[in-house]
Amino acid sequence: MKNFRYMAGVAILKLEADKCIGCGACETVCPHRVWKVEGRQAVIVDYDGCMECGACATNCPVAAITVNPDDGCGCAAYIIQKWLKGEGSEACCGSNCC
Amino acid sequence: MVAKNYYFVEGFVETSAGRVTRVATKLAWPDFFGKLRARLGLRRDSYLVSPGLYCVGQPDHQSPVLVTANYKLTFDALRSQLGGLDAWILVLDTFGVNVWCAAGKKNFSTRELVRRIELCGLSEIVSHRRLILPQLGAPGVAAHQVKKESGFEVKWGPIRAADLKKYLADGLQATPVMREVTFSLSERMVLVPVELTILLKPSFYVLALVLLLSGIGPDFFSVSRAWGRGSAAFGAYGLGVLAGAGLVPLLLPWIPGRQFFLKGIEMGVLVVTGAFLLWGKMIGSGLESLALISFVIAVSSYTAMNFTGATPFTSLSGVEKEMRQGLPVQIAALVVAIVGWLASPFF
């Protein structure tokens, strides 16, 4: 996926390094190879590759990872609905987008 | 016993927890028709199989358990890769949505998985305590939580079902390539028809509005003007859709820039240039041309921006950011288009 790059510096992705136990779950589940365990510590090696899918945060057994908690898909129609009608009331385009 | 609707059922396997349906690993004609229909975006939300336990081959208590979603397209993609294997397939209820999107919406979830394990009596059917899940299920399923609540260990399988055989043969080891999503030309191409189908309904409203606005002139309203100018304006809309929902997905990695609304503008300019080379003489005044060009750009930019929802690499934060920049541009282009189009008959 290195040939597809989205905007830099926007993803909400944080690691509380002192909590990390280096289990490597994040590295396994990330579909964009954002994580790498070096020594006994997970490291973000490709921050701008993150699409905020949330796989790493969900699977971190010590809750050391934070990802944008909004689980909406990234289509414009969905976001416009969210802006117009307020958080929570939006419906994705049926099952049409994702 | 095998009903006509269940053409993909080959038979049943008796287990201590009851009969389990054995499904074919070769796809049949109805599967291909169903796939085609789903890819066209027609009645996609009712294309599903019943959640529960299935199997392929002649599995026993030691056979692997593969977990998947109940979208028929997903189920077919999985079983069609399992020829020659003996395995259990645990289908979760994701309301007919694929694994990744259902995981994002927390329907392919820890809770549903734990519940489904119990409902199917899985611990009576297999003696091991291991499940193989598609990697893209990870946003919704917490492996450590599943272990705690059900005793089953989650093994993250490859992203693509096509890699499953190698993954199983290698002792549940995935290569880095198996763990990374791709977005190849063919993967982008299959998404285009759905993008167009989604636009079908709004397009009727656009058509009605375009005919209405195109007929207005010094003599209040003229039907012949509505038809003549209306078809030109609707043609511009079509070009915008072609650029934004067609060219942008197909040419995505080669279009300069990262933001989709910009890629849409670029492709809009491209089709406008093409249209002028082909039909330049047919378009009337400068003001009319300006209006049509603005319309193409507004539509191509917006439809391109909407495609972010179908890609596997755009973050929600990023899309929101680009929309704050893109929407004002698109609205401005639309205003220029409408004002120019309404004003031109008066000059």
Side-chain angles (χ1 to χ4, degrees):
Chain A
M1 282 305 278
K2 304 295 175 228
N3 51 341
F4 288 100
R5 291 271 100 176
Y6 199 41
M7 284 178 288
V10 292
I12 300 172
L13 173 67
K14 285 190 208 91
L15 169 71
E16 290 171 65
D18 51 328
K19 281 192 190 172
C20 176
I21 53 168
C23 72
C26 51
E27 186 181 338
T28 303
V29 297
C30 177
H32 287 289
R33 314 281 79 206
V34 167
W35 295 94
K36 200 163 184 70
V37 175
E38 290 168 357
R40 293 290 297 163
Q41 180 72 53
V43 182
I44 298 172
V45 290
D46 185 13
Y47 168 75
D48 288 327
C50 177
M51 59 169 291
E52 302 177 334
C53 75
C56 54
T58 301
N59 279 279
C60 179
V62 290
I65 302 173
T66 312
V67 177
N68 185 358
D70 192 331
D71 59 1
C73 63
C75 66
Y78 165 87
I79 294 170
I80 290 173
Q81 277 195 50
K82 193 174 79 177
W83 284 349
L84 291 179
K85 297 180 189 169
E87 204 82 37
S89 62
E90 70 281 358
C92 212
C93 3
S95 60
N96 267 340
C97 44
C98 59
Chain B
M1 193 61 215
V2 178
K4 188 168 157 244
N5 288 348
Y6 301 107
Y7 58 89
F8 52 84
V9 172
E10 275 190 340
F12 300 93
V13 172
E14 296 295 337
T15 74
S16 47
R19 257 178 12 161
V20 174
T21 307
R22 188 155 58 85
V23 295
T25 55
K26 269 210 174 96
L27 299 186
W29 279 111
D31 300 314
F32 292 113
F33 286 131
K35 184 174 184 173
L36 186 68
R37 208 186 66 189
R39 286 300 191 188
L40 289 171
L42 305 171
R43 285 184 289 150
R44 224 167 25 138
D45 35 0
S46 57
Y47 196 49
L48 39 80
V49 294
S50 296
L53 193 65
Y54 296 79
C55 68
V56 291
Q58 295 293 342
D60 59 20
H61 65 100
Q62 288 181 314
S63 301
V65 180
L66 309 170
V67 181
T68 192
N70 79 325
Y71 184 28
K72 176 72 165 33
L73 214 61
T74 304
F75 183 68
D76 286 359
L78 174 62
R79 69 186 170 93
S80 66
Q81 295 295 333
L82 304 179
L85 288 180
D86 303 313
W88 304 101
I89 303 175
L90 186 65
V91 177
L92 305 190
D93 189 359
T94 60
F95 307 97
V97 172
N98 70 73
V99 170
W100 205 10
C101 292
K105 291 277 191 289
K106 307 292 184 269
N107 288 324
F108 190 97
S109 65
T110 304
R111 186 208 278 204
E112 163 62 11
L113 176 56
V114 170
R115 196 178 80 103
R116 197 58 60 185
I117 291 169
E118 278 167 24
L119 282 174
C120 296
L122 191 64
S123 44
E124 293 170 44
I125 294 172
V126 292
S127 54
H128 63 76
R129 290 291 175 267
R130 198 183 312 113
L131 305 167
I132 298 169
L133 266 69
Q135 188 189 326
L136 294 185
V141 174
H144 55 282
Q145 211 65 37
V146 174
K147 173 88 181 172
K148 210 183 285 174
E149 291 177 31
S150 72
F152 278 84
E153 179 193 5
V154 168
K155 287 283 182 187
W156 294 111
I159 287 177
R160 288 161 290 268
D163 293 326
L164 258 174
K165 269 189 186 166
K166 182 156 169 33
Y167 172 82
L168 291 169
D170 291 351
L172 310 190
Q173 288 299 312
T175 63
V177 173
M178 291 182 195
R179 295 233 173 273
E180 190 166 2
V181 287
T182 54
F183 204 31
S184 64
L185 179 62
S186 61
E187 285 170 308
R188 300 195 302 275
M189 212 146 65
V190 295
L191 300 176
V192 172
V194 174
E195 293 294 307
L196 297 179
T197 308
I198 292 171
L199 286 172
L200 216 54
K201 212 170 110 188
S203 295
F204 282 109
Y205 295 117
V206 171
L207 180 62
L209 204 65
V210 148
L211 287 174
L212 187 73
L213 295 182
S214 298
I216 297 171
D219 54 351
F220 188 57
F221 193 88
S222 142
V223 173
S224 69
R225 192 166 50 229
W227 275 124
R229 299 179 75 228
S231 48
F234 197 67
Y237 173 78
L239 285 179
V241 169
L242 172 77
L247 292 182
V248 167
L250 292 185
L251 305 178
L252 195 64
W254 304 292
I255 307 170
R258 291 190 178 179
Q259 305 192 60
F260 282 58
F261 86 94
L262 286 177
K263 289 175 188 275
I265 291 174
E266 290 170 61
M267 289 302 102
V269 169
L270 191 75
V271 295
V272 162
T273 311
F276 263 85
L277 292 176
L278 283 172
W279 308 301
K281 286 176 197 137
M282 284 170 62
I283 293 165
S285 70
L287 193 58
E288 272 190 321
S289 302
L290 177 71
L292 289 175
I293 293 169
S294 297
F295 194 30
V296 173
I297 303 280
V299 172
S300 67
S301 180
Y302 179 78
T303 49
M305 198 171 74
N306 211 35
F307 187 64
T308 53
T311 74
F313 68 100
T314 52
S315 61
L316 190 62
S317 297
V319 178
E320 288 198 4
K321 187 183 176 192
E322 89 155 86
M323 282 179 66
R324 279 186 215 106
Q325 300 165 0
L327 269 180
V329 174
Q330 291 152 10
I331 291 169
L334 191 63
V335 168
V336 169
I338 293 173
V339 171
W341 199 242
L342 282 174
S344 51
F346 294 91
F347 289 97

